[in-house]
Amino acid sequence: MTELLNNREYKKEQLKRLLLRIHEGESVESLKKEFQEILSSISPLEIPIIEQELVREGVSAKDIAKMCDLHVELVREAVAGTDELEEKGLPDGHPLKIRYDENKEIMKDAEMLNLYARTLATTKDERMRQEILGVLEEIVGNLRKVGFTHYNRDEMLTFPYIERRGLTAIATVLWTKHDEIRFMIKYLAELLRKRDEMPWEEFVERLKNKAGEASFALSDMVFRENNIYYPTLKALLSDGEWKAIRLQEDEIGFYKVNPPAWDPGEDVKPLHPWEIDPELSAEELLNLPREVQEALRGQPLEFDRTELRREGDIDLGTGYVSVEELKAIFEALPVDVTFIDRDDRVRFFSPGERIFARTPSVLGRPVQLCHPPKSVHIVNKILKAFKEGRKKEATFWLRLGPKYVYIKYVPLFDKNGNYLGTLEMTMDIAPYKKIEGEKRLLDWRD
């Protein structure tokens, strides 16, 4: 035991010496080789112990945090195994390369969360406490974005491809884990916000424990993704599928990376989930990670062969519906919609909720004749501003008995920027103004 402690003491002094050189201005990159020589001799379980001893001896937590990138490399080598090989050869901007790069950032932030929470629990200096709390709020604020970006992109963009192929269990397990992590990070944010409402000792103990749990869960998810999920995607998805995914990713966003555009070639057509052949060949099954193969053993896959576009469907750009379905959709909307074409004539009104009376006799009528003479000049001004591109909307609100009516006009244009007409949307917002608090999907009762 004495030999072990002496060995740790030596390692600690070596790290302390290197950290002092960082503090004096040398870059982590220039000292990387020396750091790796020491870190490679330290068990991942020893690192937090040594860090904590360094903090107690006065080494700045910020200086220690600068080693996080190197810790990540060490941990990934120790537990990840295959992800470095999987990542090799992926071009910048490829959706999988983006995910591996994001996971490096997530691992670093997860470790920093754990480190700073443990440091706070042993810090007596009030000024240092406030500094660490500020850093923790920033880390937790960043980690909340993991759910909105990194996890959300897989839930919305890659899960549909494996679900189509019958691998629904993988998506279900990962999504469940995502939500658990989202809850953990949200809890930490609320705990930091309410820290003055409880004794300090209770707060820091709870924070230390919950931060450790969240840090482990985040790291565990990185391991699952890098070693199971991403190799599965790499084995199954074609360039066309990756191209479709990449074209949609910017809308959701990324975690601490700014990837370049990526295109496997103009001759590669983007393939959406409903456009692929879902059946897996024997070769594809053999290329799946061992864990996935074992999970599938003895369980026949149910491939999703549903045809999205049916005969007679209308292509709406973001989906396909029949005329009957479209009518039903408009009828169900809690909004009164009227479309005026480029010639200022009423072409359509929705059949559902009505704020103002509409009858079929209005169809084809100039919109100017649908308003009182005293307001026609305003209608013409609005339409002129829309057609000239000077205004993007016109909004009004008024009370009609118990109703509080909100009216919004927006101009519509085709993909070349040509004016198509104007859409009027009207709704009674009185019921919505009464809403308070939250009512989530899980709160629903039949």
Side-chain angles (χ1 to χ4, degrees):
M1 178 64 74
T2 303
E3 183 182 347
L4 176 62
L5 290 173
N6 288 339
N7 189 29
R8 183 188 297 160
E9 188 69 24
Y10 170 75
K11 295 169 184 175
K12 181 182 70 177
E13 289 303 317
Q14 292 294 95
L15 284 175
K16 197 172 177 180
R17 178 178 57 81
L18 289 173
L19 286 168
L20 181 61
R21 290 167 66 183
I22 288 177
H23 191 71
E24 291 173 347
E26 290 190 57
S27 69
V28 174
E29 191 61 35
S30 66
L31 298 171
K32 188 172 183 180
K33 186 175 180 182
E34 293 179 63
F35 264 119
Q36 287 177 326
E37 286 176 359
I38 299 172
L39 291 172
S40 63
S41 68
I42 301 175
S43 159
L45 297 176
E46 284 186 284
I47 291 175
I49 298 172
I50 292 176
E51 286 173 344
Q52 195 59 41
E53 290 176 2
L54 289 170
V55 169
R56 280 200 294 266
E57 293 179 17
V59 177
S60 164
K62 284 192 173 182
D63 283 341
I64 294 175
K66 290 176 183 176
M67 293 193 302
C68 283
D69 282 324
L70 297 178
H71 294 181
V72 170
E73 288 183 25
L74 185 65
V75 174
R76 289 172 82 233
E77 288 172 7
V79 300
T82 60
D83 60 296
E84 289 288 356
L85 293 174
E86 293 293 339
E87 189 179 350
K88 277 185 178 177
L90 291 172
D92 288 341
H94 189 288
L96 259 188
K97 179 67 161 57
I98 294 169
R99 282 159 173 76
Y100 281 118
D101 289 345
E102 285 179 315
N103 270 347
K104 294 174 186 175
E105 297 295 330
I106 292 169
M107 280 288 284
K108 181 171 72 174
D109 286 347
E111 185 171 346
M112 288 178 68
L113 172 68
N114 197 23
L115 169 62
Y116 276 95
R118 286 186 287 109
T119 302
L120 182 67
T122 59
T123 299
K124 304 300 183 185
D125 181 79
E126 182 59 31
R127 183 188 60 79
M128 181 61 75
R129 283 180 177 178
Q130 294 307 313
E131 181 182 342
I132 294 171
L133 282 168
V135 175
L136 279 167
E137 287 177 334
E138 182 180 351
I139 293 170
V140 171
N142 283 332
L143 285 171
R144 292 199 74 174
K145 298 172 187 173
V146 173
F148 300 132
T149 57
H150 186 80
Y151 295 161
N152 196 26
R153 290 208 320 283
D154 276 330
E155 292 159 1
M156 296 297 107
L157 299 180
T158 64
F159 284 6
Y161 288 97
I162 63 168
E163 291 163 351
R164 179 79 169 172
R165 291 172 165 95
L167 304 176
T168 55
I170 295 177
T172 300
V173 169
L174 288 177
W175 202 327
T176 300
K177 293 289 183 184
H178 290 172
D179 282 347
E180 289 173 359
I181 293 171
R182 286 182 174 111
F183 178 81
M184 290 178 180
I185 303 301
K186 182 181 179 182
Y187 178 88
L188 285 171
E190 292 175 351
L191 186 60
L192 284 165
R193 184 168 54 84
K194 296 179 178 179
R195 59 180 178 265
D196 294 333
E197 300 177 12
M198 65 188 79
W200 174 259
E201 291 75 15
E202 178 186 345
F203 162 69
V204 292
E205 185 64 22
R206 196 184 299 183
L207 181 69
K208 182 180 71 172
N209 293 335
K210 295 301 181 181
E213 291 173 11
S215 177
F216 177 82
L218 286 159
S219 301
D220 179 65
M221 179 54 64
V222 168
F223 176 82
R224 290 169 184 266
E225 290 176 339
N226 285 4
N227 292 278
I228 301 173
Y229 188 52
Y230 296 164
T232 298
L233 294 178
K234 190 173 184 180
L236 296 181
L237 270 60
S238 66
D239 279 350
E241 291 163 273
W242 285 123
K243 183 171 184 174
I245 289 168
R246 185 67 189 92
L247 289 172
Q248 301 170 82
E249 289 190 307
D250 289 351
E251 183 174 343
I252 297 174
F254 307 94
Y255 188 73
K256 288 194 167 184
V257 299
N258 185 25
W262 172 80
D263 191 334
E266 292 184 6
D267 57 325
V268 177
K269 176 184 177 293
L271 285 174
H272 295 284
W274 65 86
E275 297 176 304
I276 66 172
D277 178 3
E279 192 156 348
L280 297 180
S281 66
E283 183 181 358
E284 286 175 321
L285 286 169
L286 288 173
N287 285 333
L288 294 175
R290 177 176 50 81
E291 294 87 350
V292 177
Q293 292 185 36
E294 290 176 356
L296 296 177
R297 193 165 292 151
Q299 297 183 9
L301 291 174
E302 296 183 7
F303 305 119
D304 184 357
R305 294 188 173 85
T306 304
E307 293 287 338
L308 181 67
R309 189 171 189 176
R310 306 153 303 189
E311 185 177 352
D313 274 358
I314 303 169
D315 182 356
L316 295 177
T318 53
Y320 307 92
V321 295
S322 69
V323 172
E324 285 303 309
E325 289 169 339
L326 189 59
K327 287 179 179 178
I329 288 169
F330 274 115
E331 192 165 341
L333 289 175
V335 60
D336 174 347
V337 175
T338 304
F339 174 61
I340 301 139
D341 69 14
R342 61 167 56 93
D343 298 318
D344 300 345
R345 292 185 177 269
V346 179
R347 296 282 300 178
F348 164 81
F349 62 87
S350 56
E353 179 143 340
R354 294 253 59 85
I355 303 296
F356 299 112
R358 294 280 189 274
T359 61
S361 59
V362 78
L363 296 175
R365 191 182 187 189
V367 69
Q368 291 85 351
L369 300 180
C370 299
H371 289 78
K374 64 180 179 181
S375 61
V376 170
H377 68 292
I378 301 297
V379 172
N380 285 330
K381 281 185 177 182
I382 292 171
L383 293 174
K384 187 172 186 293
F386 284 173
K387 292 173 183 178
E388 294 174 354
R390 291 186 287 108
K391 293 288 185 180
K392 294 184 178 180
E393 65 174 41
T395 55
F396 310 93
W397 46 96
L398 62 146
R399 296 195 180 275
L400 291 177
K403 295 182 178 180
Y404 195 12
V405 180
Y406 181 80
I407 306 167
K408 183 173 184 177
Y409 299 96
V410 295
L412 306 181
F413 300 91
D414 64 19
K415 61 182 179 180
N416 297 317
N418 298 312
Y419 176 76
L420 294 174
T422 290
L423 190 68
E424 178 195 67
M425 295 165 281
T426 307
M427 66 185 303
D428 177 13
I429 61 173
Y432 304 101
K433 288 179 65 64
K434 298 175 184 177
I435 294 175
E436 294 180 351
E438 292 185 345
K439 182 180 180 181
R440 296 178 175 270
L441 184 63
L442 291 174
D443 298 329
W444 190 83
R445 297 289 183 272
D446 61 6

